[in-house]
């Protein structure tokens, strides 16, 4: 098993599905969860998932008093809870899993990461790196491996025949999680307390979908796994409205943390340029970015909680 800390957001279903995956995966010991920006609605969603699995682990929030955009615009502090949901928690969470009470049961996110990351822990991030930035500002922050969903590898790193059409020929591209706190992202690239850095970039994860075929595969084994049962439940609701499927960014990153051999990796230097991010080959950097992936191996890792028991 690997020790994992998961840093997430809840504006998109991916992160919550990844939380469910990590809570039930047989190769993962989930030590702590942090959330950005960290509203009580978000903390409540995380706490509900932990309750389902009987887990009492630390939860961190970057800013418990953050007001969702819709609340600021409408000037009604109650609107984010009782009327239209703000951008921090998507309506999908409540449609799929019912009403979930808010919670303020969270410590400062940077302190949670600082306390529960160490040389033998993998920190997986699916959100802007605000909690990581706060942790790095505390003394003696250490983490053995950082796996970030974000970044971009393009021309000069990914062979032309393997570039997705939407990114063909690009050297740099905006990437949400790094642009959400670029100073923290740049600090993470040089922080001496981070052992290995791996970026699961959009040039690969934008080609990975949870579609009807994946849903059928999950359905076949969900009876053996509460984790996969909850994932199936959420995606049953999602696919009802969007039958074409869902880009599966964060679960790919989590599975690459569990089994690095899912990915094909290039050792690079990441750089920022005019609102975009890119990478260039840099042997010895100990910073790696994904350039391709093994789909079958990814699916096996995703479904491992539902695998037949060994004889």
């Amino acid at each position: 098993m690997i020790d994992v800390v998961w840093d997430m957001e809840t504006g998109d279903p991916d992160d919550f599905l990844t939380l469910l995956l990590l809570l039930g995966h047989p190769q993962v010991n989930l030590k702590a969860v942090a959330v950005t920006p960290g509203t009580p609605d978000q903390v409540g969603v995380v706490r509900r998932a932990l309750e389902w699995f009987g887990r009492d682990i630390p939860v961190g929030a970057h800013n418990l008093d953050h007001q969702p955009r819709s609340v600021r615009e409408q000037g009604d502090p109650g609107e984010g809870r009782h009327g239209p949901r703000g951008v921090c928690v998507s309506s999908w969470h409540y449609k799929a899993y019912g009403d979930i009470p808010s919670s303020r049961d969270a410590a400062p996110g940077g302190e949670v990461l600082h306390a529960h990351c160490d040389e033998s822990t993998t920190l997986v991030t699916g959100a802007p790196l605000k909690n990581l930035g706060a942790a790095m500002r505390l003394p003696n922050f250490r983490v053995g491996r950082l796996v970030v969903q974000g970044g971009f590898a393009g021309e000069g790193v990914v062979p032309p025949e393997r570039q997705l059409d939407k990114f063909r020929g690009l050297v740099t591209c905006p990437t949400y999680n790094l642009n959400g706190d670029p100073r923290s992202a740049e600090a993470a690239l040089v922080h001496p307390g981070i052992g290995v850095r791996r970026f699961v970039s959009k040039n690969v994860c934008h080609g990975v979908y949870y579609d009807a075929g994946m849903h059928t595969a999950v359905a076949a084994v969900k009876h053996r796994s509460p984790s996969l049962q909850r994932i199936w439940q959420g995606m049953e609701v999602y696919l009802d409205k969007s039958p074409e499927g869902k880009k599966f960014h964060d679960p790919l990153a989590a599975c690459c943390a569990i089994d690095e051999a899912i990915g094909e990796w290039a050792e690079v230097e990441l750089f920022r340029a005019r609102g975009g991010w890119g990478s260039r080959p840099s042997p010895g950097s100990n910073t790696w970015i994904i350039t391709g992936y093994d789909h079958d191996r990814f699916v096996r890792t995703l479904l491992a909680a539902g695998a037949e028991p060994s004889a």
Side-chain angles (χ1 to χ4, degrees), residues 37 59 96 122 138 177 214 237 241:
V59 175
T122 296
L138 298 174
N177 287 339
M214 182 79 77
V237 171
K241 296 295 185 182

Side-chain angles (χ1 to χ4, degrees), residues 240-263:
D240 183 57
K241 296 295 185 182
S242 302
E244 70 279 5
K246 173 79 183 70
K247 291 176 184 174
F248 226 37
H249 302 171
D250 297 316
L252 175 65
C255 287
C256 285
I258 296 167
D259 180 6
E260 290 183 357
I262 289 170

